[in-house]
Structures are given as structure tokens and as C-alpha cells.
């Protein structure tokens, strides 16, 4: 998929926003939804997406909605770091297939990183559902506390 084109309302993140597909939700407000990545590059890999903007990428979102997305991304990054105590944390965002984008609804990746582990861009394995549910409970509790 190129950088330019039409927004597909059937993309998987649009389905998650509408409640048509499930997710391990960490946070939601009127503008933003955050949930665990199903194919995590590392333990705690989280995605943060705008809910009300049909933006495929960072070129298509208004500055105010982007600011809100980034504020929540920072909040979730702090929660992930506090709870999981990684050695580093990657906050990333890709635009267009040649840049690594595979889902064409704008999203921020938050990826806790542990020293010595590979910096893979795409993971091959689907996460264990029990592990995701346990992690979701930990992080939601930390977010509330
Ligand atoms: P991109 O490569 O577009 O920047 O990132 C898309 C991300 O969405 C990938 O990390 C991929 O693992 C994740 N992903 C793809 N399908 C699903 C899904 O159905 N649920 C969740 N939670 N994550 C998904």
C-alpha cells in the first residue's frame, strides 16, 4: 500500500474501534484507544490509535488529534515502563508499506525493550492469549493506580 490512497473502513483497527473485533484493551476515551499487540515484538508491545479520525497515516491527521494521541502514548509509555521495568522503550510509527506499515489506520507502537534482545520490526508469532490477558490486567491496574 502506498502512502497515498483512500481510508479502508474495514481495516482491522477500524473493526476494533467499532467493537466488531476483539482486543486486549488497556485504555479508552472519546478520542483514543490503546490495546496490546496480538503479534508482539516484545513483552508489553502496545498500540495506541485515534478513534474519531479516519487517518491512514501521520500525514492525514489534524494536529489537535495528533497531540491527543501523543499525550496518551506518553501516558501509556510511563505505565509500561513503571510496570515492566524494561531497559529501554521504543515509540514508533510507520507510514506506507515501504516504511513497514501493515495496518492502514494510524497507530503508535510502544515497545518495551530488554537489553540483548533483537530489535525486530515484525514478529512472527501470535501471543499466548492467557499471557495477554494477564498482562492486560496488570497494566490496567497500574493505569488506574
Ligand atoms: P504496522 O506494521 O502497521 O506499523 O503495525 C501493525 C501492528 O498491528 C503489528 O504490530 C501487528 O502485530 C498488529 N496487529 C495486526 N493485526 C492485529 C489484530 O488483529 N489485533 C491486534 N491487537 N494487533 C494486530
Amino acid at each position: 500500500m502506498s502512502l497515498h490512497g483512500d481510508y479502508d473502513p474495514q481495516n482491522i483497527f477500524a473493526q476494533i474501534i467499532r467493537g466488531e473485533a476483539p482486543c486486549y484493551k488497556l485504555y479508552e476515551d472519546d478520542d483514543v484507544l490503546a490495546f496490546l499487540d496480538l503479534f508482539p515484538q516484545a513483552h508489553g508491545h502496545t498500540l495506541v490509535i485515534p478513534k474519531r479520525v479516519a487517518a491512514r497515516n501521520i500525514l492525514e491527521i489534524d494536529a489537535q488529534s495528533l497531540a491527543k494521541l501523543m499525550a496518551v502514548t506518553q501516558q501509556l509509555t510511563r505505565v509500561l515502563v513503571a510496570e515492566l521495568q524494561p531497559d529501554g522503550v521504543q515509540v514508533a510509527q510507520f507510514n506506507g508499506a515501504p516504511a513497514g506499515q501493515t495496518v492502514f489506520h494510524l497507530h503508535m507502537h510502544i515497545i518495551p525493550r530488554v537489553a540483548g534482545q533483537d530489535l525486530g520490526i515484525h514478529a512472527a508469532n501470535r501471543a499466548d492469549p492467557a499471557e495477554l490477558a494477564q498482562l492486560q490486567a496488570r497494566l490496567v491496574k497500574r493505569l488506574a493506580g
Side-chain angles (χ1 to χ4, degrees), residues 8-139:
D8 174 9
Q10 293 310 320
N11 77 74
I12 184 64
F13 292 173
Q15 292 181 41
I16 288 172
I17 290 168
R18 292 194 298 265
E20 296 165 8
C23 73
Y24 292 87
K25 187 193 301 181
L26 299 182
Y27 174 85
E28 182 169 21
D29 64 25
D30 287 346
D31 305 309
V32 176
L33 176 65
F35 51 92
L36 294 171
D37 198 295
L38 268 194
F39 304 87
Q41 293 172 40
H43 188 59
H45 184 168
T46 293
L47 301 169
V48 190
I49 66 175
K51 282 171 57 179
R52 299 199 305 186
V53 185
R56 290 158 34 104
N57 55 54
I58 199 167
L59 302 174
E60 298 177 355
I61 190 170
D62 62 282
Q64 190 180 349
S65 301
L66 180 61
K68 175 69 187 283
L69 181 69
M70 291 308 297
V72 173
T73 299
Q74 184 191 42
Q75 184 185 8
L76 265 295
T77 302
R78 286 177 168 153
V79 165
L80 284 159
V81 167
E83 183 64 28
L84 302 180
Q85 305 277 308
D87 300 311
V89 61
Q90 193 176 31
V91 178
Q93 188 273 318
F94 309 133
N95 303 285
Q101 186 174 15
T102 59
V103 177
F104 294 89
H105 179 107
L106 173 63
H107 51 281
M108 301 299 303
H109 294 261
I110 309 171
I111 311 174
R113 294 295 189 181
V114 175
Q117 284 185 349
D118 280 350
L119 285 178
I121 290 191
H122 291 115
N125 298 322
R126 195 181 175 104
D128 172 24
E131 191 184 326
L132 285 180
Q134 194 181 39
L135 185 57
Q136 177 191 30
R138 271 179 76 186
L139 293 169

